[in-house]
Amino acid sequence: MALKTPLYSAHVALKARMVEFGGWDMPVQYDSVLAEHNAVRNSVGLFDTSHMSLFAVEGSNSLDALSRVVTQDLRTLAIGACRYGFMLDESGGVIDDLIVYRMGEESWLPVANAGTAQSNFAWLKQHCEIPGSTVRYLRDEMAKIDLQGPAAITTLKGVLNINATTLRRFRWVKVTASGHEWLISRTGYTGEDGIEIYASHEAIASAWNAFVEAGVKPCGLGARDTLRLEAGFPLYGHELDLTHSPAEAGLMRYARKEEPFIGRDVLLQRAVSPELLLAPFLMKGRQTARHNQPVLNAAHETIGLVTSGTYAPTVGRAIGFAYLNPTAAVAGTPLFIDNGRTHLPAVVTTLPFLNQQEK
Amino acid sequence: MTRYTVEHEWVRIEGTIATVGISVHAQNELGDITFVEMPAIGTPLKKGDALGVIESVKAASEIFAPVGGTVASINEALNDTPEAVNDDAEGAGWICTLEGVDASDLNDLMTAEEYAKFCN
């Protein structure tokens, strides 16, 4: 039985196509993935992200406890800021990628994926539930929506009367407006400007309805995936998992250098000579490579596997990520994707995918 | 007169030429169409053979020949505007025509009315 967010009935009323994702009943699209994608690129779109796992880690020992399990440097993270990083296992594999918000001197809000909620909670309890540090899973206390696109800031002001013009990227603020308390951050998963909004279930339901009534386009998981892939962001279960570390994913910049954390020693070893490297690729045309399809070199020998692929509406061609032999993970290397019927030509490219329309 | 298959293709026969596409219902289920792989002109097809692939943002699906015949033409416009299948699946979004069609292949296909019931 899949979990339902506080916005489930709103999605059904909007005639969304619902799918199970990460243990939740979620909207994959309302109208059309392309229309929703374009709304975010050109104006503004609204996402239900209440399926994501939100935790509170608090107490006098919480800084030390949480620092053991995340790669972020929490000591230099200011109250009012948030930072992206990972939870790793002892072998450097990714338990999850997450953003940690510093809510106070001894109070943290880790925000992670939906499908990993139970393993995240177990890992956090195992390592952070110690004298002077508590862990709570906030599923019943807090919900979340994302307002994304170049018109997000003006829409937030117009609909909820919240002024976020001076809020900087990866900063958060708590505000009271329109009869509710909100936590908003200048963050998102689309490659556009935008805001993530956290509040009580009741407040989030009222905000969702207010945005939709104001004409903001509701967007499903389909557009969320095409937007994040165009922006070059990894997705847990595709680019990141227990067998791939930030070393292979090219994301070592999100792992701190000095203070130890679980998985660090193996991670540093893996970073010296990774067996595989994550590479972005551009297809010759519109035809899409799909997760787990083999990647071949010019001699048609298998050199890797596709992790994600989609038609990229803003680019006008299909794009993707693949784990490749490191010698092949160099921009300009020609590739072929074996889709089971034919070998589709592609080429290793560089991020970002956006602004490559003319290549 | 248009006939439909259980795989959601449509076929319309005028003289000895059959025009083939996917149904309005099918394009709606697939969502935004991003690519249509069409057969080479001159390809002989038996009823039920895979004649191409249609890709949407979500998935790739094979298209099967609703009747046997030889590929006479393809809808070249779909190379640049595959969204025509979303906009007008049973008109401008046609995929190919077949010649040398055996009209008896139509016998077990559905009428529009039968197909509408089938989709419900």
Side-chain angles (χ1 to χ4, degrees):
Chain A
M1 196 46 190
L3 297 164
K4 291 175 171 48
T5 78
L7 302 176
Y8 176 80
S9 57
H11 303 320
V12 171
L14 287 163
K15 297 191 165 42
R17 196 169 296 183
M18 305 296 289
V19 295
E20 186 174 333
F21 178 82
W24 295 76
D25 249 334
M26 295 298 292
V28 67
Q29 68 181 86
Y30 299 83
D31 164 12
S32 128
V33 174
L34 290 185
E36 293 164 22
H37 178 106
N38 291 334
V40 172
R41 285 276 176 263
N42 301 326
S43 171
V44 63
L46 182 66
F47 299 82
D48 179 7
T49 49
S50 301
H51 60 312
M52 295 185 71
S53 51
L54 317 179
F55 301 97
V57 180
E58 291 164 329
S60 55
N61 275 333
S62 60
L63 171 58
D64 289 340
L66 190 58
S67 288
R68 263 175 55 73
V69 301
V70 300
T71 64
Q72 287 97 326
D73 184 352
L74 300 181
R75 294 178 199 281
T76 60
L77 184 61
I79 299 169
C82 55
R83 194 169 276 169
Y84 177 76
F86 309 98
M87 285 201 294
L88 305 181
D89 67 11
E90 288 84 354
S91 66
V94 180
I95 293 171
D96 210 348
D97 60 336
L98 75 170
I99 292 182
V100 176
Y101 291 65
R102 187 168 202 165
M103 303 307 297
E105 201 57 47
E106 299 172 345
S107 173
W108 313 85
L109 172 69
V111 177
N113 285 290
T116 44
Q118 293 309 324
S119 52
N120 289 341
F121 192 31
W123 190 257
L124 284 170
K125 286 225 295 204
Q126 183 184 338
H127 295 286
C128 300
E129 191 106 311
I130 58 170
S133 173
T134 59
V135 178
R136 281 184 302 137
Y137 180 21
L138 301 178
R139 192 178 76 202
D140 299 325
E141 297 170 41
M142 213 187 241
K144 173 173 179 286
I145 53 178
D146 295 7
L147 188 67
Q148 298 282 303
I153 301 299
T154 52
T155 304
L156 184 69
K157 174 74 177 143
V159 176
L160 290 187
N161 197 25
I162 297 173
N163 186 348
T165 49
T166 59
L167 186 65
R168 290 187 286 146
R169 292 291 292 170
F170 284 89
R171 300 287 159 146
W172 62 262
V173 67
K174 277 184 173 173
V175 293
T176 302
S178 303
H180 293 285
E181 281 188 23
W182 315 91
L183 165 63
I184 62 166
S185 60
R186 194 87 174 250
T187 49
Y189 194 48
T190 61
E192 296 297 329
D193 191 10
I195 294 284
E196 295 183 76
I197 305 171
Y198 303 79
S200 69
H201 289 197
E202 181 201 354
I204 286 295
S206 75
W208 176 274
N209 290 334
F211 283 124
V212 170
E213 280 165 27
V216 179
K217 199 164 193 61
C219 301
L221 294 177
R224 189 166 164 82
D225 193 52
T226 57
L227 288 159
R228 71 90 190 170
L229 200 47
E230 273 191 353
F233 296 144
L235 173 61
Y236 193 79
H238 290 251
E239 286 71 37
L240 301 170
D241 55 33
L242 288 169
T243 63
H244 296 100
S245 77
E248 292 84 42
L251 297 170
M252 289 298 284
R253 64 188 177 280
Y254 297 108
R256 64 179 187 259
K257 301 295 176 288
E258 303 301 329
E259 187 191 5
F261 50 83
I262 295 171
R264 185 186 71 155
D265 294 347
V266 184
L267 178 67
L268 293 179
Q269 286 167 23
R270 290 171 75 154
V272 173
S273 56
E275 289 178 19
L276 300 166
L277 279 178
L278 188 67
F281 63 83
L282 201 54
M283 306 296 291
K284 278 268 185 283
R286 292 167 150 264
Q287 211 167 352
T288 300
R290 308 276 172 182
H291 189 199
N292 283 335
Q293 288 176 346
V295 182
L296 316 177
N297 62 13
H300 293 262
E301 299 156 339
T302 302
I303 54 162
L305 275 182
V306 173
T307 57
S308 291
T310 187
Y311 173 70
T314 317
V315 180
R317 289 160 71 173
I319 59 171
F321 276 116
Y323 273 110
L324 302 179
N325 292 343
T327 51
V330 178
T333 304
L335 306 174
F336 292 92
I337 313 295
D338 180 355
N339 71 0
R341 301 184 307 277
T342 184
H343 293 174
L344 300 169
V347 63
V348 177
T349 185
T350 51
L351 294 177
F353 289 114
L354 294 174
N355 308 319
Q356 299 210 359
Q357 289 95 325
E358 303 308 320
K359 253 194 186 176
Chain B
M1 107 195 141
T2 307
R3 291 286 183 271
Y4 297 84
T5 72
V6 294
E7 305 281 358
H8 303 282
E9 293 89 11
W10 59 264
V11 57
R12 192 175 300 133
I13 296 197
E14 286 152 284
T16 59
I17 299 282
T19 306
V20 174
I22 68 161
S23 71
V24 170
H25 174 82
Q27 69 74 28
N28 189 44
E29 288 296 306
L30 288 168
D32 296 293
I33 309 282
T34 56
F35 179 79
V36 184
E37 182 184 306
M38 291 173 282
I41 291 169
T43 306
L45 294 170
K46 293 193 299 290
K47 179 180 171 114
D49 283 353
L51 67 77
V53 174
I54 198 149
E55 290 195 359
S56 72
V57 175
K58 283 177 287 185
S61 315
E62 288 196 301
I63 312 163
F64 301 99
V67 296
T70 301
V71 178
S73 67
I74 58 172
N75 188 354
E76 304 272 3
L78 297 184
N79 287 324
D80 292 327
T81 56
E83 60 271 23
V85 179
N86 292 120
D87 298 339
D88 189 10
E90 299 185 24
W94 64 277
I95 290 167
C96 65
T97 64
L98 306 175
E99 60 190 2
V101 170
D102 179 352
S104 71
D105 276 354
L106 288 174
N107 289 346
D108 60 346
L109 301 184
M110 290 176 271
T111 64
E113 196 179 329
E114 288 163 344
Y115 179 67
K117 275 188 200 146
F118 173 74
C119 290
N120 287 321

